[in-house]
Amino acid sequence: MLQSISHNSAGKSDVVAFKLAEQDFCIDIGLVREIRGWTPTTTLPHAPDYVKGVINLRGSVVTVVDLSARLGFGAATPSQRHVVIIAMHSGRIVGLLADLVSDILPINDDHIQAVPDIASNPAREFITGMITLEDGRILRKIDLAQLLPAAPGAEI
Amino acid sequence: MSDMDEFREMFFVECDELLEVLANGLRQMEAPGFDKETVHAVFRAVHSVKGGAAAFGLTTLVTFAHRFETVLDLVRSDRLEVTPQIMALAHRCSDCLTDLVTSARAQVDPDESRVDALLSELDALITPEDDEGPIEFVPLTLDFGGPLDFDLPPPMPAAPPAPGLEIAMTPGHQLYRSGNDPQALIAALHKLGPVAVALETAGVAALADWSPEEPGLAWRITITGASYDDVAAVFEFVEDCCALTISEAPVEDRPEPCDDPLPEPAPAPPVAVAVEAPGPTVVPPANAPANASAEAPQSAATIRVALDRVDRLMNMIGELVIKEAMLSQVIQTAGLHEQPDVVAGLDAIRQLAGDIQESVMSIRAQPLKLVFQRMHRILREAADATGKPVRLVTIGEQTEVDKTMIERLIDPLTHMIRNSVDHGLEDSVTRQRLGKPVEGTITLSAAHRSGRVQIEVSDDGGGINRPRVRQIAEDRGLIAPGANLSPAEIDQLLFLPGFSSKDEVSALSGRGVGLDVVRREIMALGGRVMIQSTEGVGTTFSIALPLTLAVLEGMLIQLGDQTMVLPITAVQETLRPEDRMLHGVGHGTRLLSNRGELIPIIDLGATFGLEAPGALDSGVLIVVETDSRKRAAFRVDGIFDQRQVVIKSLEQNYGRVPGVSAATILGDGKIALIIDPEEIVLSLSNDQGRRLAAMASNG
């Protein structure tokens, strides 16, 4: 669960909203370190299919997770237009591959609704809440902890 | 009270150094015709430990150090002859002192019985008139309001009263005009004996009345041990141009003798305030070189720095090297590489980055001496425990290794030394029967060899008893009965967990650790261990280590569209195979026949799941040898470079990847994975290899 929501005032927090397969998602801004353009990754052997590989972020080796594959939309074919959101979670840095970042929005905590009971959808386990915006859009709030790959086993 | 803790810590760090000087000095004293200065250094070390310990109220430590010091003083003053027995005792005392410091540091009670036993041995050497009586050290409680006093007054033999002379000198303007200099005069006096100099400024006129032509300074100099005539001779040429009196000094003005060899600085001569004076500036000739030379010879200034700061610097330089490579690539693509000033500038940066990298690595580098010195003690204890007379010969103590490695080498080396004494050397009776010298020799050597550090522990014992090793391995189910093993493979069995070549577990090595632990620790350092043994002649363990944990010499290889790095240390040779060298075994398995040896071929790209198995005639085969001496041929698509790469952790942000040890960043900013050949070979080779691998990973 997300613990480190950054409150800019009581009950309010900022989120970074991004698009993926024509749907709107967001993550807490406190977790976001920077947003970069897509750069080719180095493939990791024996990695889960949603792990695109690793990139060099100023000397650190950072895993890039293909959100589209992770959420069940199928593997993305990244282009120059794609973005990588660099996020930090419990000491680990991870890059999230998304179609584009749309805005940074202040969110009232009361506006976050629980996810309705939906059929077993891979997205279900990664989304912690739904936020209806005034313009009618719906933001799906992502739980970073669930998204990250577990450390793979030691066996080849 | 954190200040107190800090002082304590400082004291213990200092102790470590002093104990090292002590241990080192004692060893030097064993050599015939040792330098007298060595004894002084040893004495000073014990004395300083005592002084510091007294300040912290460590009574047992003080008592022991004092008695030890008394005996050393006897040696120092030639009242006690240096015999092997005395030296053995001194070594044991040095060990005991080390332990006392260690227990004081950990704030646990020291082993009093051992201390008492040694104390009575020491007492036996001290005749009543040698002793300076009971120690009247009152533990100083540290009070941070006042000045700190760590060093206690040394037990100094009362110096016979030396004739002292007092010189009063008031130079007139003629003295300066004739080109003379009071400083030179004082320096000349200093050669005659210890001097104390006081500057008197009473004669200096107030600024308003001051005339640059009229000197106002006067000196009062006390000198001991010089004759009137000698002193007068110094002033012979200036007598006319200064007011000079030379007289007997009153007793209380006599300066302390300065030839004290103890570390305490000679009492500073009471030099008064330096005043801007007419004529040449006067530099007080305090503590002239004669005193400085009495100090221990290690005079190079050092600073203590937290290792992580150096690590950070190292990381940044790694980045710099990568950025430099990126820049040169950009310049190449932009077509600027023919501009002479761009090329020259880039070359200069490259050179500089390389130099900085080397300098930082050398900051982290430390001589292996520290580890080797410890091994002397380990050997002594091992020899005592087994009752085998052994001596340790060390070669190449100055070989430098990364600081982090030094610390992590202590355990494996300790174990190997113990192992050599316990299992390697025969007992005295057997040695005598075989016509070998009764005293066994263990040689610990270190050397730099082609970018690696080679450390060897060799004994002149009986060598590995291979039939027995084999029998034990079979009995314990480590190998199949009748397995076809080469002598080298049999030796390798010693590294299996649970293997002990001794039937009965001895007090020394039956501590639940075996050579498998040694091997694992060395491998964790990126090194490898090998054994060589000749029956009846001895056994040699060789450890090959990288110079640093931060940089690795790698071969850049192509696998599909990925670049990977293969550590060069594993690479034996590379070749383009011809058909006649390839042999299929069953379905899908291929062997390379290379100079009569059959080596399994592993398609790296397919192993990593990066591409479908490639045809053998389109790629290159790299023959690798792992730490456990297993060979395999890696099929790769191409080889294109060999260079030093900066090692980056993959586990920090991702996790472990099978067959990959770490990552690095290439010149174009991309990440390349560093292959772990050992893991790949062991996991894919034959059944026996798999069993060895499983055992190694379980142990």
Side-chain angles (χ1 to χ4, degrees):
Chain A
M1 286 289 117
L2 288 182
Q3 297 294 327
S4 55
I5 291 174
S6 66
H7 294 272
N8 51 5
S9 61
K12 281 200 163 189
S13 58
D14 283 348
V15 294
V16 173
F18 55 93
K19 272 197 191 294
L20 199 66
E22 302 304 314
Q23 293 186 7
D24 290 294
F25 293 88
C26 69
I27 62 168
D28 192 82
I29 200 167
L31 303 172
V32 176
R33 290 283 168 274
E34 62 181 281
I35 296 161
R36 296 161 57 95
W38 161 259
T39 44
T41 57
T42 298
T43 313
L44 290 171
H46 314 290
D49 58 352
Y50 59 85
V51 172
K52 271 281 170 210
V54 282
I55 55 164
N56 164 27
L57 179 74
R58 287 183 300 282
S60 294
V61 179
V62 173
T63 320
V64 176
V65 171
D66 179 354
L67 277 185
S68 171
R70 187 61 163 150
L71 296 169
F73 297 120
T77 12
S79 67
Q80 292 282 331
R81 303 169 66 99
H82 281 73
V83 291
V84 177
I85 303 165
I86 305 291
M88 178 113 172
H89 184 269
S90 51
R92 289 167 89 192
I93 305 174
V94 67
L96 307 173
L97 177 66
D99 288 352
L100 61 95
V101 169
S102 51
D103 15 30
I104 292 169
L105 299 165
I107 298 292
N108 235 326
D109 285 357
D110 331 339
H111 293 174
I112 303 178
Q113 300 174 24
V115 186
D117 289 334
I118 42 180
S120 69
N121 178 334
R124 174 72 181 84
E125 35 181 317
F126 309 120
I127 298 172
T128 53
M130 311 285 278
I131 303 144
T132 317
L133 298 178
E134 284 167 8
D135 60 6
R137 279 190 291 161
I138 286 181
L139 285 184
R140 297 144 189 89
K141 194 162 186 186
I142 284 188
D143 180 357
L144 206 51
Q146 295 288 322
L147 211 63
L148 298 178
E155 284 301 303
I156 290 187
Chain B
M1 192 150 124
S2 69
D3 272 0
M4 186 67 177
D5 289 345
E6 217 171 283
F7 276 111
R8 260 185 86 91
E9 194 44 43
M10 260 164 63
F11 162 65
F12 286 121
V13 168
E14 207 177 289
C15 270
D16 287 345
E17 279 168 16
L18 291 167
L19 291 169
E20 203 180 285
V21 171
L22 170 64
N24 207 10
L26 287 178
R27 262 197 313 287
Q28 281 174 26
M29 282 171 67
E30 281 173 324
F34 59 87
D35 188 359
K36 193 80 188 171
E37 179 51 34
T38 313
V39 191
H40 289 310
V42 164
F43 178 84
R44 277 199 300 269
V46 178
H47 179 76
S48 304
V49 170
K50 180 179 81 171
F56 290 100
L58 304 167
T59 337
T60 321
L61 188 49
V62 174
T63 317
F64 183 75
H66 177 75
R67 218 74 66 89
F68 188 15
E69 184 190 295
T70 311
V71 170
L72 286 174
D73 189 38
L74 294 180
V75 174
R76 190 166 71 134
S77 52
D78 291 325
R79 275 177 288 170
L80 193 67
E81 203 193 332
V82 180
T83 60
Q85 287 77 27
I86 296 284
M87 286 316 298
L89 176 62
H91 273 304
R92 273 187 292 137
C93 287
S94 150
D95 292 348
C96 180
L97 197 64
T98 309
D99 288 344
L100 284 174
V101 169
T102 310
S103 47
R105 191 176 208 161
Q107 302 191 335
V108 294
D109 286 333
D111 179 3
E112 299 272 358
S113 60
R114 178 160 159 236
V115 175
D116 289 343
L118 279 173
L119 278 180
S120 48
E121 273 191 69
L122 287 172
D123 280 343
L125 296 167
I126 306 170
T127 47
E129 60 267 27
D130 290 331
D131 199 6
E132 292 137 18
I135 339 150
E136 61 283 348
F137 284 120
V138 181
L140 280 185
T141 334
L142 288 182
D143 172 15
F144 290 90
L148 282 173
D149 185 10
F150 282 102
D151 276 309
L152 293 166
M156 284 227 322
L165 290 172
E166 193 176 285
I167 304 145
M169 170 174 67
T170 315
H173 62 88
Q174 303 93 327
L175 182 129
Y176 295 111
R177 202 165 280 168
S178 59
N180 280 297
D181 182 347
Q183 185 203 343
L185 295 170
I186 294 165
L189 283 177
H190 199 93
K191 286 190 185 128
L192 300 175
V195 287
V197 186
L199 179 66
E200 280 166 8
T201 54
V204 180
L207 200 56
D209 311 324
W210 178 66
S211 145
E213 290 290 306
E214 281 307 311
L217 292 177
W219 279 268
R220 202 165 68 89
I221 305 156
T222 352
I223 180 163
T224 41
S227 71
Y228 181 90
D229 290 346
D230 287 344
V231 172
V234 169
F235 293 99
E236 198 181 331
F237 296 104
V238 294
E239 267 176 309
D240 310 332
C241 47
C242 72
L244 184 74
T245 53
I246 304 174
S247 56
E248 283 269 307
V251 174
E252 63 268 26
D253 279 359
R254 226 166 257 159
E256 289 284 307
C258 294
D259 53 358
D260 171 21
L262 298 171
E264 281 82 18
V271 175
V273 224
V275 189
E276 257 334 303
T281 322
V282 178
V283 181
N287 291 341
N291 284 344
S293 66
E295 277 295 335
Q298 359 154 278
S299 55
T302 54
I303 56 164
R304 237 180 268 284
V305 183
L307 201 60
D308 62 327
R309 292 192 191 182
V310 183
D311 282 347
R312 215 154 56 215
L313 196 58
M314 188 76 205
N315 258 333
M316 287 193 285
I317 288 159
E319 287 305 295
L320 181 67
V321 171
I322 292 162
K323 288 287 177 312
E324 180 273 317
M326 283 169 77
L327 196 61
S328 86
Q329 213 151 355
V330 169
I331 286 171
Q332 186 87 20
T333 357
L336 290 172
H337 56 283
E338 275 167 25
Q339 302 255 345
D341 28 346
V342 172
V343 173
L346 203 62
D347 276 351
I349 291 178
R350 183 178 305 135
Q351 177 94 38
L352 209 54
D355 287 354
I356 297 173
Q357 189 171 25
E358 213 163 278
S359 307
V360 175
M361 300 233 301
S362 74
I363 291 179
R364 296 172 51 108
Q366 284 199 332
L368 278 165
K369 201 172 170 193
L370 298 171
V371 189
F372 278 21
Q373 279 177 354
R374 266 204 209 195
M375 293 308 135
H376 282 279
R377 172 171 188 182
I378 304 292
L379 184 97
R380 267 202 306 281
E381 287 173 349
D384 280 351
T386 53
K388 296 176 186 172
V390 197
R391 73 194 175 98
L392 181 65
V393 177
T394 52
I395 302 167
E397 321 194 294
Q398 290 306 332
T399 311
E400 291 190 329
V401 187
D402 196 271
K403 161 91 177 147
T404 43
M405 292 234 229
I406 290 209
E407 278 155 16
R408 288 167 67 182
L409 269 174
I410 290 173
D411 278 357
L413 282 181
T414 300
H415 192 83
M416 286 164 83
I417 296 271
R418 282 186 182 144
N419 186 77
S420 291
V421 175
D422 202 15
H423 306 301
L425 294 175
E426 315 92 332
D427 56 59
S428 314
V429 183
T430 317
R431 286 184 73 92
Q432 215 149 19
R433 188 165 48 81
L434 292 170
K436 286 186 179 184
V438 176
E439 191 183 48
T441 306
I442 290 180
T443 313
L444 182 58
S445 71
H448 283 295
R449 217 158 278 165
S450 58
R452 302 208 109 200
V453 179
Q454 181 101 10
I455 301 176
E456 289 187 355
V457 179
S458 49
D459 61 60
D460 64 346
I464 295 172
N465 183 346
R466 295 200 175 100
R468 198 146 146 260
V469 166
R470 192 197 170 94
Q471 189 58 47
I472 292 169
E474 276 183 26
D475 292 350
R476 305 203 174 158
L478 299 172
I479 52 167
N484 184 18
L485 295 175
S486 66
E489 279 174 311
I490 293 176
D491 295 349
Q492 212 62 44
L493 293 173
L494 292 175
F495 289 117
L496 287 182
F499 188 96
S500 174
S501 67
K502 273 225 158 176
D503 295 333
E504 73 282 2
V505 175
S506 71
L508 184 64
S509 48
R511 297 175 197 214
V513 279
L515 284 172
D516 59 313
V517 180
V518 171
R519 183 163 175 269
R520 212 168 49 226
E521 285 172 27
I522 296 297
M523 278 171 62
L525 290 172
R528 54 194 210 174
V529 195
M530 286 147 293
I531 315 183
Q532 269 183 315
S533 178
T534 314
E535 200 168 343
V537 180
T539 310
T540 300
F541 287 89
S542 330
I543 303 173
L545 287 169
L547 283 175
T548 159
L549 296 178
V551 174
L552 171 135
E553 184 76 27
M555 183 182 266
L556 266 56
I557 57 171
Q558 187 79 43
L559 293 176
D561 58 350
Q562 299 278 325
T563 303
M564 287 202 170
V565 181
L566 188 62
I568 208 89
T569 47
V571 176
Q572 298 276 307
E573 61 180 310
T574 60
L575 44 94
R576 283 194 188 276
E578 292 161 33
D579 273 350
R580 57 178 176 82
M581 298 163 76
L582 302 169
H583 308 277
V585 184
H587 177 71
T589 310
R590 279 177 165 250
L591 292 178
L592 168 74
S593 164
N594 188 25
R595 289 193 288 275
E597 191 185 2
L598 287 173
I599 303 169
I601 297 175
I602 298 171
D603 190 308
L604 268 195
T607 304
F608 284 126
L610 296 172
E611 52 176 359
L616 287 177
D617 51 10
S618 66
V620 182
L621 288 181
I622 305 173
V623 179
V624 295
E625 188 186 67
T626 67
D627 297 320
S628 48
R629 295 231 149 173
K630 291 234 159 278
R631 280 178 195 224
F634 287 166
R635 187 220 162 260
V636 301
D637 291 330
I639 298 171
F640 53 87
D641 200 358
Q642 179 183 327
R643 71 164 73 135
Q644 287 214 330
V645 297
V646 179
I647 299 173
K648 297 277 173 184
S649 159
L650 192 59
E651 299 183 21
Q652 195 184 341
N653 287 320
Y654 179 68
R656 239 182 71 76
V657 178
V660 171
S661 59
T664 189
I665 299 167
L666 299 177
D668 58 2
K670 271 201 182 171
I671 287 173
L673 302 177
I674 301 172
I675 296 164
D676 181 350
E678 173 91 15
E679 196 169 42
I680 292 171
V681 173
L682 285 184
S683 63
L684 292 185
S685 61
N686 57 31
D687 244 21
Q688 197 194 329
R690 202 163 302 176
R691 273 182 68 188
L692 286 170
M695 283 168 184
S697 62
N698 291 341

